[in-house]
Amino acid sequence: MPRNLDLTALRAFVAVSDAGGVTRAAGLLNLTQSAVSMQIKRLEESLGISLFQRAARKLSLTPEGMQLLGFARRMLDLNDEATARLASDAFEGQIRLGVPHDIVYPAIPGILKRLSGQYPRLRINLSSSFTTLLRTAFDKGEVDVMLTTEDRPGPGGEVLSRQELVWIGADGGTAASQRPLRLGFKDTCIFRPTAQAALDAAGIPWELAFEGDSEQAAEALVAADLAVSARLRGRWPDGTVEVSGQGLPDLGSLSVCLYAAPTARGEAVEALMAELRLAYCG
């Protein structure tokens, strides 16, 4: 049956080794010399080995003691980190993260899972919408950290990458070849003005096939081959594919930008922003 090492005894052992003697270690630990000596004795008895060589009032580690010292330091470091992380108010509270719905996958679920495991007492709230709506919420102080998809960053924004905007339609569909071209965008979609301007510049007639605030309904219309839409490359909904050719104009690219509110501070916020940079850069 595995034996459990006493962390209190290990702490006394490390202190004696570092201090070079029981007297100084007792002062560092705020214990009596006899209490420290007893901890060392119990540790030696539990392991069945001698940890120190005692000669002329001088203590030195035995080979076994030197081996245990490395393990003891790591065990105490893990113990101290765990208790500090789980008991400290610094790792409580909440982070309100805003991410445009079309770039949530595949990165965000994994990032949130890792952050939750790292900071179990932290509440993480996710808001997913269009950049225009997220910006409004951010300006009102309702979002702490935000990703956006936009042509150029606003004040305080950090550009993580440029991503191409492409046309999408139903897999095997014909809506992209119809004229006037029918467009399936939610009313507040930031991609709609870009698509309309590109079609106007190319002299391609178009009409809106959808009006409303439901992204799911707009996507269903496109998947049913009743309209086309635009998304960042590689981030289109199920049932749709990138549409190339058909005389459709190039839509250019947009920046994925990162913002943090001035009040968003602390280790957990920095960890989240580091994860977002890693996932969305390049």
Side-chain angles (χ1 to χ4, degrees):
M1 182 176 180
R3 289 175 292 176
N4 296 318
L5 293 175
D6 185 343
L7 289 176
T8 301
L10 287 176
R11 197 176 298 278
F13 165 63
V14 171
V16 171
S17 175
D18 290 345
V22 172
T23 302
R24 291 183 62 191
L28 293 172
L29 296 171
N30 198 27
L31 296 172
T32 63
Q33 293 184 40
S34 60
V36 173
S37 296
M38 184 61 68
Q39 293 288 352
I40 299 300
K41 182 179 179 181
R42 287 176 180 172
L43 186 58
E44 289 178 326
E45 290 176 349
S46 70
L47 292 171
I49 59 175
S50 294
L51 298 174
F52 292 99
Q53 295 174 341
R54 299 165 175 85
R57 291 188 174 183
K58 184 177 181 181
L59 291 180
S60 61
L61 290 171
T62 63
E64 294 83 3
M66 293 178 64
Q67 187 174 11
L68 178 62
L69 184 61
F71 289 115
R73 291 193 194 281
R74 283 153 54 192
M75 291 173 67
L76 292 172
D77 286 345
L78 284 172
N79 173 80
D80 295 346
E81 181 182 356
T83 54
R85 180 67 54 85
L86 295 174
S88 173
D89 292 341
F91 302 103
E92 292 183 335
Q94 71 172 355
I95 297 177
R96 299 165 298 176
L97 173 65
V99 183
H101 70 92
D102 53 329
I103 61 171
V104 167
Y105 289 96
I108 295 299
I111 290 174
L112 297 186
K113 184 177 181 179
R114 286 190 294 275
L115 201 68
S116 178
Q118 196 173 359
Y119 303 98
R121 299 177 68 181
L122 181 71
R123 296 192 312 276
I124 308 168
N125 297 332
L126 176 65
S127 298
S128 183
S129 186
F130 287 95
T131 289
T132 50
L133 299 180
L134 290 175
R135 272 189 161 283
T136 299
F138 185 78
D139 291 340
K140 291 180 178 179
E142 298 172 355
V143 174
D144 300 310
V145 178
M146 172 180 68
L147 290 176
T148 64
T149 50
E150 52 194 335
D151 186 44
R152 57 179 61 87
E158 174 187 347
V159 177
L160 300 184
S161 63
R162 292 286 295 183
Q163 301 197 15
E164 288 186 85
L165 187 64
V166 298
W167 294 101
I168 64 167
D171 191 3
T174 60
S177 62
Q178 305 299 315
R179 300 294 184 270
L181 186 68
R182 306 189 77 222
L183 304 179
F185 292 94
K186 177 181 173 180
D187 290 347
T188 53
C189 179
I190 194 173
F191 302 152
R192 191 174 84 172
T194 300
Q196 291 169 330
L199 291 171
D200 288 341
I204 298 176
W206 55 269
E207 65 182 20
L208 294 177
F210 178 79
E211 294 183 7
D213 229 16
S214 172
E215 180 63 21
Q216 290 77 14
E219 291 176 351
L221 194 72
V222 176
D225 197 29
L226 298 177
V228 298
S229 190
R231 292 291 186 276
L232 294 178
R233 172 161 282 150
R235 302 183 186 274
W236 39 79
D238 291 341
T240 66
V241 296
E242 180 179 347
V243 175
S244 58
Q246 311 292 338
L248 297 179
D250 180 71
L251 295 175
S253 61
L254 293 174
S255 295
V256 176
C257 302
L258 174 64
Y259 295 80
T263 54
R265 299 175 181 173
E267 181 180 320
V269 171
E270 292 300 324
L272 171 61
M273 294 179 67
E275 287 265 16
L276 294 172
R277 291 186 181 100
L278 183 64
Y280 289 93
C281 279

